[in-house]
Amino acid sequence: MCRAHGKKMDFAKLEVFTSEDLKACTNNFNIKSLVGVIQFGKLYRGKIKGVMTGTEGQDVMVKIWDKKSENMAFLPYDESLMVKKEVEILTNPTMNSHPNLAKLIGYCFEEEIKGVIYDLSPLDSLQNLMVKDDLNWLQRINVVLEIARLLKFLHGQDKPFLIYNINASHIVVDWDFKPKLIDFGQIGKGIIGEMSRQNKQITMPIRCHDPYFTIRGGDWDTSSEVFSFGVILLGLIAKRTCELEKPDIVLDRLLHVWAKNEYKPQCSLVHKSLQEDWGYHAEDGIAITELGMCCIEFFPRNRPTMKDVVERLESLHILQRLGDSRAHKRGKKFHDNAMCL
């Protein structure tokens, strides 16, 4: 367990940790503490104690940038700039109160290790949870809705934020089944400004990447992120992963290609095990499948906005039913994992 020091960065008012602190926090980056591997590094569970938390042992998540990651191993990249950018984003008054953005406790800015510590007790990455039985139907719908609301919020700013590399491995679910976005390595626009030329050189993961953007080129915009969201949605309801571990994998194994091959009008791609869950409604299965397919339309003009997505999700029977019964059934077990609507 590491101890938070009193030294703070003036503009961010965050705790400053040493590389030894991060090692102590994660049991020397023990494999048992590993939550997942992301595009630019790794995520670990940890515990801290110190003046900031006032507790003997607070659960946290540590993210470190790894020079051996899929991008940093082949392209020059300024890790220091990445840390500074993340601090700037997550300490911005407009951003730091959003419930689906991870909250920063502090950072490490040493030659050996560059990383950040989040006030977050991770259950697992969304990537890992997609194919597991840990999330039931209602929890999956809530996760999808909260991600949609986050993107609506980011896209709705006067200067919209674009994540560029949004995918399930960059979202962590906590023990309350709340999704948290934890990677900002390629974020652009908003308070950050346009994506740097160096960022544009980085290969985005093909698993959630907009094929129209890949083939036609042009500027990545909010419709491209709707596509990425659609891949996450379909993965959650079909219990299929969109992670590609082998670089030579055939294209028809991509989740959005699989979905287009399987989909027929008025059909559901919801996994059979989820159709047996409490609250599942056949009409919801068809509606959310159709929504996912609309999000992954090839031509951007045919895709909905995130505002449209949120409205369509909120109209699902399970959320309408939950809203109607909430006041009378607060003691029911399923409410323990329900989100505030």
Side-chain angles (χ1 to χ4, degrees):
M1 185 185 299
C2 67
R3 180 177 296 278
H5 299 284
K7 182 181 177 183
K8 298 179 187 294
M9 179 188 258
D10 288 338
F11 75 89
K13 300 189 184 304
L14 297 172
E15 294 291 335
V16 180
F17 294 88
T18 67
S19 57
E20 292 303 315
D21 289 332
L22 265 57
K23 289 177 182 178
C25 178
T26 59
N27 193 19
N28 200 25
F29 300 112
N30 192 295
I31 187 66
K32 293 181 180 179
S33 300
L34 184 68
V35 177
V37 177
I38 58 176
Q39 192 173 8
F40 301 104
K42 296 178 180 178
L43 305 172
Y44 292 90
R45 295 178 179 86
K47 283 185 179 291
I48 65 170
K49 61 179 179 179
V51 295
M52 185 174 183
T53 63
T55 59
E56 194 61 29
Q58 176 183 352
D59 291 325
V60 297
M61 189 174 75
V62 176
K63 178 171 73 177
I64 61 167
W65 279 262
D66 185 0
K67 291 184 174 64
K68 296 179 182 178
S69 72
E70 60 180 284
N71 277 294
M72 296 177 113
F74 301 104
L75 289 169
Y77 204 87
D78 189 343
E79 298 168 81
S80 301
L81 182 61
M82 273 188 149
V83 176
K84 291 176 181 177
K85 182 194 294 186
E86 182 151 332
V87 168
E88 185 178 357
I89 293 167
L90 294 181
T91 56
N92 179 274
T94 304
M95 308 291 285
N96 63 11
S97 61
H98 197 283
N100 300 117
L101 293 175
K103 303 297 184 291
L104 279 181
I105 291 176
Y107 64 95
C108 177
F109 207 66
E110 296 186 352
E111 183 65 28
E112 180 185 0
I113 295 176
K114 290 180 175 61
V116 293
I117 294 186
Y118 300 113
D119 182 7
L120 172 60
S121 179
L123 171 63
D124 209 337
S125 72
L126 186 59
Q127 181 66 41
N128 293 336
L129 288 170
M130 274 186 169
V131 297
K132 296 180 179 179
D133 295 327
D134 300 58
L135 297 180
N136 62 32
W137 175 245
L138 174 58
Q139 290 160 350
R140 287 171 188 259
I141 294 299
N142 282 337
V143 166
V144 166
L145 178 57
E146 292 202 28
I147 296 171
R149 286 173 171 169
L150 172 60
L151 288 175
K152 176 187 173 184
F153 167 78
L154 294 173
H155 294 174
Q157 301 302 306
D158 291 338
K159 295 180 180 180
F161 283 86
L162 298 177
I163 304 299
Y164 288 93
N165 62 346
I166 184 170
N167 63 78
S169 63
H170 294 163
I171 297 171
V172 168
V173 178
D174 68 16
W175 286 91
D176 292 322
F177 303 102
K178 303 292 185 181
K180 309 284 184 178
L181 180 64
I182 49 81
D183 192 85
F184 308 89
Q186 291 177 257
I187 195 168
K189 301 190 177 180
I191 60 172
I192 298 301
E194 294 295 329
M195 180 189 266
S196 68
R197 184 197 300 184
Q198 191 177 46
N199 274 19
K200 289 180 180 178
Q201 289 180 310
I202 295 174
T203 303
M204 299 181 198
I206 191 172
R207 55 188 173 268
C208 294
H209 197 257
D210 181 355
Y212 183 91
F213 179 81
T214 304
I215 296 171
R216 301 291 182 89
D219 293 328
W220 185 272
D221 61 18
T222 55
S223 69
S224 299
E225 304 212 327
V226 171
F227 181 93
S228 299
F229 169 82
V231 174
I232 293 173
L233 183 156
L234 291 167
L236 270 169
I237 67 170
K239 296 178 74 170
R240 294 180 70 95
T241 180
C242 58
E243 184 72 43
L244 295 179
E245 296 179 354
K246 298 178 180 179
D248 58 346
I249 199 161
V250 291
L251 285 178
D252 62 7
R253 293 285 299 278
L254 288 168
L255 200 150
H256 61 274
V257 176
W258 167 83
K260 289 182 177 181
N261 289 337
E262 293 290 319
Y263 178 71
K264 296 178 180 60
Q266 294 298 304
C267 86
S268 167
L269 295 180
V270 176
H271 194 274
K272 288 183 179 180
S273 66
L274 294 174
Q275 294 182 29
E276 299 172 358
D277 277 357
W278 176 91
Y280 178 80
H281 196 289
E283 289 184 19
D284 282 351
I286 294 172
I288 199 167
T289 298
E290 183 180 292
L291 175 58
M293 299 306 297
C294 288
C295 290
I296 63 169
E297 282 279 350
F298 178 77
F299 291 103
R301 64 176 178 271
N302 294 335
R303 301 170 192 163
T305 65
M306 289 312 303
K307 179 181 178 181
D308 296 331
V309 169
V310 170
E311 290 176 355
R312 290 173 67 171
L313 287 172
E314 289 176 341
S315 69
L316 293 175
H317 285 281
I318 188 169
L319 296 180
Q320 293 291 317
R321 178 180 176 184
L322 184 63
D324 291 342
S325 62
R326 180 180 293 272
H328 305 290
K329 298 183 178 180
R330 291 189 183 277
K332 293 292 185 181
K333 185 176 180 181
F334 63 81
H335 280 99
D336 292 342
N337 297 322
M339 65 186 295
C340 295
L341 298 177

